[in-house]
Structures are given as C-alpha cells and as structure tokens.
Amino acid sequence: MIGQQPLTAADCADPGRLMFLQHVGQYFAAEPRLERLPDKSACSICGFASARLWQTASGESSCLAQQTITRKRAARKSPDDPMMPPVHPAGKTNMGDGNMVVAGPYRALLITKLLPTRPVPPDVSIVFSNKGSIKAAKLDLLRNPPQPPFVVIVFGQKARFATEVTIDASRLYVNGPASQILDRSYLSRLLDIATRIGGSAIFDLIALRHRVAGGDPSESDPNLHRQDQQALLDLRSAGLITPAEFRMLPSPGTSEAAFLRQAIE
C-alpha cells in the first residue's frame, strides 16, 4: 500500500520526483486506474526501464510520481475546508493548478488546494493556494532555506520536465516548466538594492545598465546614448546605488531578472 513501505526507483527514477513522492506526494498518491505496462518498459520522461509504469490516454508511459502530479482529483474551495481525504475523490484539479512543493528530510511543504488520499501528518505543512502564496514561499526559501537535500518544484500544466535536487543551500534549484537556478547571495543583494531604491527604479536601472554596456545593438540612437550617459552621471551623483552595485545588476531576460520581477511585482 502506498506510503506504508519505502519508496524507491521502482516508483520513479527521477531524483526530484522521487523525493517529492517520499516526503509529500505519497499522501496524495493513488494506484492509477490505467493499463499497467509490461516490466522493462521505458519511462517517457527519463528513459528508466525498471520502474512501475502505466500507459496514459496519450500513449505515454508514466510512473507513480508523475501520476501523482498529473492526476485530477477533488480540491478544497476554501482554506477553512478540512484537509481530509474526500468521500468522493474525483475532481478537476491537479498539481499543475497553482501548486508548489519543497520536499526533503528537513522540510515538507506543499502549496495546494488538492485534497489528500490519506491523512497528512503534522510535519507536512499544507498552505492553501492563493494569489501570492508561491511568491511568498520563494522569498522565504531564499531567506530561510531548509537543510539540504531537498527538491523545489513549481508545477505547471506542462508536466514533462527533469528535476535537480538542491544539495548546497547557496544555490537553489526551482524545478518546473520554467525552471530557475537561484544564487541566494546574489539575489539577496539585488533584493536589498530594490528595497532601498524602489521596485520600479531597479528595473529602469537594469535597462540602463544593459544599454550602457552595449547589450542592445538596436538602441543606437545618439541622443538616447547621451541621455543614458547623463542618467548614469546623475545616478552616481545622487549616491542611490554604488558603481559596484550598478555593475552587478542582471541583464534583462535572465532568470535573475525574472525572479526579481516575480518577487517585487
């Protein structure tokens, strides 16, 4: 029975998915009502050929961890609803609907509206999924990560992605359809700058630094170049940001800039 015996690569060979299943997902898992594939079938995601696999409606092979992510089931409508296995487990919600997990031996957290298949122990924190809940969890992870190892997944409707387990808290892997690698020291310094000068101002400076550094060849207007140089001089005179801080700003379009925008807006 799920959750009453150790989970192994026979349940999933992807290390992050298995860690999710071991520490959180097992309480939301159920034996798939799908055709069981023969032994030695290869997983459609990782290619592993020794896991228990089922065939999905689209013809792909899927393990227990992946089924726990993609299976639709009943969900709470309010954080006041009891977090207990439902009498009628069928529903239309899955992990891709605004869910995030931090799972490891030292912290187990799931942001979700989903109802479990069996009672969740008190050492697993369940946060009702609301606007801003994932943003808050990412910021808390940056400021106060658990002791490694752990996996972080921000689920989305596209569920075919590889995962990385965080083994050094200075460098966090956020897995999912839009994966991110977070340098905690660097991003903490960027957030400190943004707090000091204002959220919108830091993105203006990111764009300014990118243009001054010649990062956008299309911005070749001489007048704009002079304006940027004057803006840079004014910035230094005002003392809002040091030259070293200005140089460390990320380029637009990078994962660091994306995380900063997510954290501030």
Side-chain angles (χ1 to χ4, degrees), residues 90-159:
K92 298 181 179 180
T93 305
N94 65 18
M95 288 282 175
D97 297 319
N99 290 240
M100 173 179 170
V101 68
V102 180
Y106 303 102
R107 186 182 297 175
L109 163 74
L110 180 64
I111 297 173
T112 190
K113 293 179 181 176
L114 294 172
L115 287 167
T117 53
R118 62 190 183 91
V120 180
D123 58 347
V124 177
S125 298
I126 304 295
V127 175
F128 188 79
S129 177
N130 270 322
K131 183 178 180 180
S133 54
I134 289 179
K135 169 183 169 179
K138 281 188 176 183
L139 285 172
D140 181 65
L141 187 66
L142 190 73
R143 301 294 196 188
N144 182 37
Q147 181 179 333
F150 59 88
V151 67
V152 182
I153 305 175
V154 178
F155 300 101
Q157 292 305 316
K158 293 182 179 180

Side-chain angles (χ1 to χ4, degrees), residues 27-28 73-90 112-122 126 128:
Y27 306 107
F28 296 81
R73 80 292 296 271
R76 291 189 290 170
K77 295 181 179 180
S78 161
D80 297 325
D81 293 342
M83 189 64 183
M84 294 296 294
V87 175
H88 304 290
T112 190
K113 293 179 181 176
L114 294 172
L115 287 167
T117 53
R118 62 190 183 91
V120 180
I126 304 295
F128 188 79

Side-chain angles (χ1 to χ4, degrees), residues 18-210:
L18 182 58
M19 186 169 280
F20 151 72
L21 188 64
Q22 287 175 326
H23 297 285
V24 176
Q26 62 171 296
Y27 306 107
F28 296 81
E31 193 80 6
R33 295 180 179 179
L34 298 170
E35 179 185 351
R36 176 75 186 275
L37 289 172
D39 292 345
K40 305 302 180 183
S41 298
C43 174
S44 296
I45 295 177
C46 68
F48 188 65
S50 295
R52 295 186 301 148
L53 297 171
W54 292 263
Q55 183 169 293
T56 67
S58 60
E60 295 185 339
S61 53
S62 182
C63 70
L64 179 61
Q66 185 70 354
Q67 279 299 299
T68 304
I69 294 170
T70 60
R71 181 174 60 89
K72 294 184 178 181
R73 80 292 296 271
R76 291 189 290 170
K77 295 181 179 180
S78 161
D80 297 325
D81 293 342
M83 189 64 183
M84 294 296 294
V87 175
H88 304 290
K92 298 181 179 180
T93 305
N94 65 18
M95 288 282 175
D97 297 319
N99 290 240
M100 173 179 170
V101 68
V102 180
Y106 303 102
R107 186 182 297 175
L109 163 74
L110 180 64
I111 297 173
T112 190
K113 293 179 181 176
L114 294 172
L115 287 167
T117 53
R118 62 190 183 91
V120 180
D123 58 347
V124 177
S125 298
I126 304 295
V127 175
F128 188 79
S129 177
N130 270 322
K131 183 178 180 180
S133 54
I134 289 179
K135 169 183 169 179
K138 281 188 176 183
L139 285 172
D140 181 65
L141 187 66
L142 190 73
R143 301 294 196 188
N144 182 37
Q147 181 179 333
F150 59 88
V151 67
V152 182
I153 305 175
V154 178
F155 300 101
Q157 292 305 316
K158 293 182 179 180
R160 291 188 55 173
F161 52 83
T163 63
E164 291 280 353
V165 173
T166 294
I167 57 174
D168 182 344
S170 67
R171 188 175 175 85
L172 307 176
Y173 289 93
V174 179
N175 301 282
S179 61
Q180 294 174 306
I181 302 175
L182 308 181
D183 182 322
R184 285 184 59 225
S185 176
Y186 177 55
L187 286 171
S188 294
R189 288 155 65 195
L190 289 178
L191 285 170
D192 289 342
I193 295 170
T195 300
R196 190 176 72 239
I197 69 175
S200 61
I202 195 168
F203 294 110
D204 291 340
L205 294 184
I206 285 173
L208 173 62
R209 179 195 173 279
H210 189 61

